[in-house]
Amino acid sequence: MTETSETASSSESPATPTQAGYAVTSADNSTAPPTPSYPPDSSGNRAAWVGGVLLVVVLVALLIAFIGALRHWFALHTGTLHGGPDVYYNFWSGFGSDLGEATLISAVCVGVYTGMRKVNCHTKGCWRIGHHALEGTPYILCRHHHPDVPNHGATHEHILAEHHKFKLGEAAEKNA
């Protein structure tokens, strides 16, 4: 009886793949670090790198081969090919005049995004404005995610009761 229990406990269970791509044995998953299913020096990773480098080389070669046609197309469509009194007159009168507007629009968008990230609820994915600090943490939350703020609005009686509790606590601290 002891032999069968020892052999059953000594045999390791087969490795099971996880979502992260690691093979972990269920018998010894807490002591040993997980082994990657594709080690860094495997031929699969090397083939991907070689393929990526070859793709970049081919793209650079095509860009060099067709640079004249690309320059002509870009000059024609931005207005620098057939200029007026100056070579760049058509560029700044047409396509180039939109660069200032694009800069202003980009600056406003970045400002709005930055402002929203600063004042919005710190819950991931929530775009509501956060007005309520969560005690003991640096987080500011909206009324939907804060545990102490009622979600459906507070009644006048509830507000007065909370204020009364605060006053009682303040008086207890003063007397203590």
Side-chain angles (χ1 to χ4, degrees), residues 25-47:
T25 59
S26 60
D28 194 22
N29 61 357
S30 62
T31 58
T35 327
S37 58
Y38 295 106
D41 58 347
S42 73
S43 62
N45 290 340
R46 193 173 302 125

Side-chain angles (χ1 to χ4, degrees), residues 3-5 8 13-14 18 37 50-52 63-64 73 76-77 88 101 104 113 115 118 139 143 172:
E3 293 178 13
T4 57
S5 64
S13 61
T18 62
S37 58
V50 169
L63 181 66
I64 291 170
W73 179 89
L76 180 67
H77 291 292
Y88 297 108
E101 296 168 11
L104 289 175
Y113 176 75
K118 184 169 179 62
Y139 301 119
R143 68 184 178 110

Side-chain angles (χ1 to χ4, degrees), residues 17-95:
T18 62
Q19 289 180 347
Y22 294 116
V24 179
T25 59
S26 60
D28 194 22
N29 61 357
S30 62
T31 58
T35 327
S37 58
Y38 295 106
D41 58 347
S42 73
S43 62
N45 290 340
R46 193 173 302 125
W49 275 102
V50 169
V53 168
L54 286 176
L55 181 67
V56 167
V57 168
V58 168
L59 288 175
V60 168
L62 286 174
L63 181 66
I64 291 170
F66 295 109
I67 193 74
L70 288 174
R71 284 182 58 210
H72 179 75
W73 179 89
F74 190 73
L76 180 67
H77 291 292
T78 57
T80 56
L81 188 61
H82 304 292
D86 184 17
V87 176
Y88 297 108
Y89 176 78
N90 286 345
F91 174 77
W92 289 114
S93 297
F95 181 79

